[in-house]
Amino acid sequence: MPSLKVNGTMREVTASPETPLLYVLRGELDVMTPKFGCGMAQCGACSVLVDGVETRACITPLSTLEGKEVTTVEGLPARWKHQHAGAKPDALHPVQQAWIDEQVPQCGICQFGMMIKVTELLEANPRPSDEDIKQALTTSGPSPHLCRCGSYAAILEGAHRAAKLMAQGGAA
């Protein structure tokens, strides 16, 4: 029986090695933030962090994840606390807090993938420009992150607010 480290916890799974990570997370481990969007890594709704790198869970087979750590939006608060010893015990990750503060989501399908990508960006570049954020969401990964509601302006504001919160050590 394979095991998988998800959001800091080792979990036993029964899925076959070729099963896409998205199906293991949602169907077997009850981790619901990665969404099924296109099933072809073309929209980013299924994005998770694998060892800190944005990965499209809909095309990533379970067999490629041995020894790696998967982080979903549910795991972002623990990731933040691990990275910042002074974080408040019940605090959200700054990206989550910024999404709430800026009222970023509309329908919400793409937002968890957007938050994962922005987290990856801010961990590598804590002071991104508008262009850095736009490039991260449109030219990295196998394809752009797509928002069918067109909330790109709010996503941009959320990313900037998250960068400020991270620089301050978390939520004000």
Side-chain angles (χ1 to χ4, degrees):
M1 181 178 301
S3 60
L4 182 64
K5 190 170 188 179
V6 178
N7 297 330
T9 302
M10 290 303 295
R11 308 279 303 267
E12 298 293 323
V13 296
T14 60
S16 65
E18 65 273 4
T19 305
L21 174 60
L22 180 63
Y23 300 129
V24 175
L25 291 171
R26 292 184 62 84
E28 191 167 334
L29 301 179
D30 205 28
V31 177
M32 304 307 273
T33 53
K35 302 294 185 201
F36 183 89
C38 65
M40 301 181 296
Q42 298 296 304
C43 71
C46 65
S47 293
V48 299
L49 295 173
V50 175
D51 287 346
V53 177
E54 186 233 354
T55 301
R56 305 290 167 97
C58 69
I59 62 162
T60 302
L62 183 60
S63 62
T64 64
L65 300 168
E66 185 171 334
K68 297 181 179 177
E69 180 159 2
V70 176
T71 304
T72 68
V73 169
E74 289 99 329
L76 289 181
R79 183 180 181 85
W80 176 250
K81 288 173 201 142
H82 179 74
Q83 294 170 334
H84 301 276
K88 295 177 184 173
D90 59 345
L92 294 173
H93 187 283
V95 172
Q96 294 171 304
Q97 188 61 56
W99 251 239
I100 293 168
D101 293 346
E102 294 294 329
Q103 298 287 298
V104 173
Q106 289 190 26
C107 83
I109 292 294
C110 70
Q111 295 301 316
F112 297 116
M114 298 282 188
M115 293 166 73
I116 289 293
K117 187 63 185 179
V118 168
T119 299
E120 177 194 54
L121 169 66
L122 296 178
E123 288 180 358
N125 178 3
R127 299 180 65 192
S129 66
D130 283 354
E131 191 59 34
D132 294 335
I133 297 166
K134 290 175 184 175
Q135 284 193 357
L137 293 170
T138 60
T139 61
S140 63
S143 66
H145 280 260
L146 300 176
C147 174
R148 289 166 180 85
C149 299
S151 64
Y152 295 108
I155 292 165
L156 192 63
E157 291 303 314
H160 282 298
R161 185 175 189 98
K164 288 178 188 170
L165 290 173
M166 289 174 84
Q168 296 169 356

